[in-house]
Amino acid sequence: MKTAIHGKHIVLGICGGIAAYKSAELLRLLTKAGANVRVMMTRNAARFVGPVTFEALSGKPVCTDLFDRTDPDAAIRHIEWAQEAHGVVIAPATASMVAKHAHGLADDALSTFLLAVTCPVAVCPSMNTDMYLSPPVQRNLEILKKDGHLVLEPGSGELACGTVGPGRLPEPPLILDRLTALLTRKDLAGRRVLVTAGPTQEPIDPVRFISNPSSGKMGYAVARAAEYRGAEVVLVSGPTSLDLPVNVRTVRVRTAREMAHAVFEQMDGADVIVKSAAVGDYRAMETAAHKIKKTADELTLTLVKNTDILKSVGLRKTRQILVGFAAETRDLKENAQEKLEKKNLDMIVGNLVGHPSSGFGTDTNRVTLFYRDGGIEPLEEMDKAEVAHLILDRVCERLP
Ligand code: PMT
């Protein structure tokens, strides 16, 4: 999957804390995301996890000392690495490193390197709760924020020292997520994006419902991509088991009627609306108050039509860019173009479903974009995150 991290030079700075073992997992994730990672460790970090581990995972020498006699280039490396870096992440960042950098102290390889850095920096403090909450550490973290660095909130829980509270290094996938957001261009800054995702459930009785196999992956990918690109995002989500995207206001709903209500409430403030949810077209006319017993050989359910949310939004919309999805098993072009027209959309994402690597529940998708002016853009099969960014690229081209 290609994200803002792909192909970028990232420097991972590791300080001496018990959480240094998690840096190995972070390095693995960064490398998997296509980053070219160089590791810089403090001497104390090397007491917790050996540089050899990071050398093996990054495939490159690890810098621990500016005056390494076996490495004549070490003294100039910190400047070279600082100039080449697209992003820097300090994980874990100890109280000592936070203090040094907040006050411009350069007395080891990492603190010296940091002073020469001009690219975005993410600082991930991790330490004992009382140390973390102490006034000097909080003051220094504020200085780093004012200097434009991203300071990640540590996680809360039981720490290695036995105390319970904030101080844990955030999990590596979360650090990767925030670093990716930090390095993504902010072409949706100042815009509000409303996204729908997942299935709806239309109850028949208290234990049964009508639904579909939507996992929410496509819609969550759109919400996450819009947040990375600087938008204020509201996600209206049907029932899913996915982790909620960070920094996104999520409104959880169950039925199509609840989804309609949430969308109508949110749509006026939105600049962009992307409706990737698989909304139930019908609901049971009556919901039984108690579990229906299987006494009869046949059971007839009467279904009534749900509101077509997208069509109503299309009728009500003013300045918004409106993107619909069309999940089809055949005649994709005809069906998608008909929905584009009927629902007054700016663009529709035609999704041929029922394929093992495309559509419901998959990590990848194969879609064709249909535009209001008649344009058609078939896309290769790609990760849903990449599809999401491509949809938003096209939205950005159309925003006033
Ligand atoms: O969630 P995943 O597992 O990642 O799967 C992704 C997906 C296949 C669900 C997604 O890519 C997709 O195709 N979503 C649209 C599914 C769908 O309901 O398509 P449709 O052709 O039935 O509906 C057309 C459009 O009208 C959709 O934008 C839908 O949100 C909207 N609609 C439909 C019915 C209704 N009552 N109200 C609506 O707003």
Side-chain angles (χ1 to χ4, degrees):
M1 173 181 52
K2 283 187 188 151
T3 65
I5 296 282
H6 190 90
K8 297 279 166 43
H9 289 296
I10 305 292
V11 175
L12 169 60
I14 308 170
C15 305
I18 185 67
Y21 77 93
K22 284 191 186 173
S23 311
E25 172 66 1
L26 177 60
L27 171 56
R28 204 188 57 79
L29 292 178
L30 285 164
T31 311
K32 203 172 151 210
N36 185 358
V37 192
R38 289 157 159 176
V39 177
M40 206 167 246
M41 303 175 78
T42 63
R43 281 168 185 263
N44 283 337
R47 293 175 190 228
F48 286 90
V49 188
V52 176
T53 303
F54 296 101
E55 262 169 28
L57 288 170
S58 68
K60 295 184 193 66
V62 169
C63 179
T64 50
D65 190 351
L66 290 184
F67 305 101
D68 183 348
R69 281 165 193 247
T70 61
D71 181 0
D73 294 337
I76 50 154
R77 180 167 301 143
H78 65 290
I79 299 293
E80 202 177 281
W81 284 19
Q83 284 168 348
E84 283 177 7
H86 297 104
V88 173
V89 53
I90 312 296
T94 52
S96 164
M97 187 55 69
V98 166
K100 281 194 216 183
H101 192 45
H103 298 281
L105 196 69
D107 67 351
D108 64 4
L110 184 54
S111 57
T112 309
F113 157 80
L114 278 174
L115 286 186
V117 163
T118 53
C119 66
V121 178
V123 179
C124 310
S126 167
M127 63 199 77
N128 161 272
T129 300
D130 294 327
M131 282 173 74
Y132 173 70
L133 294 175
S134 69
V137 169
Q138 289 300 314
R139 264 199 311 274
N140 289 335
L141 288 172
E142 278 311 309
I143 292 175
L144 294 187
K145 284 182 199 166
K146 280 197 193 116
D147 287 347
H149 297 329
L150 173 74
V151 175
L152 267 75
E153 285 285 311
S156 265
E158 190 176 347
L159 306 182
C161 56
T163 44
V164 178
R168 264 155 92 130
L169 185 71
E171 290 309 312
L174 179 60
I175 299 177
L176 177 69
D177 178 79
R178 291 301 84 200
L179 185 68
T180 309
L182 187 66
L183 299 190
T184 303
R185 67 184 181 282
K186 301 289 179 255
D187 52 3
L188 284 172
R191 307 286 191 173
R192 288 196 66 198
V193 177
L194 172 61
V195 183
T196 69
T200 58
Q201 292 179 354
E202 308 300 330
I204 297 167
D205 70 14
V207 297
R208 301 181 181 95
F209 54 79
I210 303 166
S211 191
N212 61 68
S214 170
S215 62
K217 285 180 185 173
M218 189 62 245
Y220 277 50
V222 174
R224 193 167 279 121
E227 190 272 334
Y228 283 179
R229 295 166 81 140
E232 191 188 324
V233 184
V234 177
L235 170 66
V236 177
S237 172
T240 74
S241 56
L242 302 177
D243 289 338
L244 297 184
V246 179
N247 262 348
V248 166
R249 191 153 76 77
T250 305
V251 182
R252 285 204 179 270
V253 296
R254 185 181 182 206
T255 64
R257 279 189 288 187
E258 287 169 14
M259 186 170 275
H261 180 76
V263 168
F264 297 150
E265 205 170 70
Q266 299 293 334
M267 70 167 283
D268 290 338
D271 299 294
V272 179
I273 304 173
V274 183
K275 286 216 73 266
S276 50
V279 187
D281 289 324
Y282 293 90
R283 66 176 182 275
M285 190 152 87
E286 278 173 23
T287 306
H290 295 283
K291 184 178 171 187
I292 299 170
K293 293 290 170 200
K294 56 174 188 298
T295 41
D297 284 343
E298 286 185 6
L299 179 69
T300 305
L301 276 179
T302 305
L303 303 180
V304 291
K305 218 172 187 175
N306 277 324
T307 306
D308 189 321
I309 308 169
L310 185 57
K311 195 172 172 190
S312 308
V313 172
L315 285 175
R316 273 173 59 170
K317 90 180 176 96
T318 48
R319 69 206 156 86
Q320 293 96 340
I321 302 285
L322 183 56
V323 182
F325 271 70
E328 306 294 342
T329 53
R330 60 179 177 176
D331 304 328
L332 183 73
K333 182 169 178 267
E334 294 71 19
N335 289 326
Q337 284 179 330
E338 192 187 326
K339 286 175 186 173
L340 177 83
E341 190 64 36
K342 263 192 184 163
K343 303 191 188 198
N344 191 25
L345 311 179
D346 295 285
M347 175 177 153
I348 192 159
V349 182
N351 202 167
L352 210 50
V353 293
H355 191 272
S357 55
S358 174
F360 293 109
T362 52
D363 289 331
T364 49
N365 216 356
R366 195 187 188 99
V367 303
T368 301
L369 308 180
F370 298 89
Y371 303 106
R372 200 184 179 84
D373 63 6
I376 302 177
E377 187 180 3
L379 302 180
E380 300 286 302
E381 182 181 300
M382 58 181 87
D383 197 278
K384 281 180 176 166
E386 285 176 72
V387 175
H389 276 293
L390 256 153
I391 293 169
L392 293 178
D393 285 348
R394 301 299 173 258
V395 164
C396 285
E397 289 162 13
R398 284 161 176 79
L399 275 168

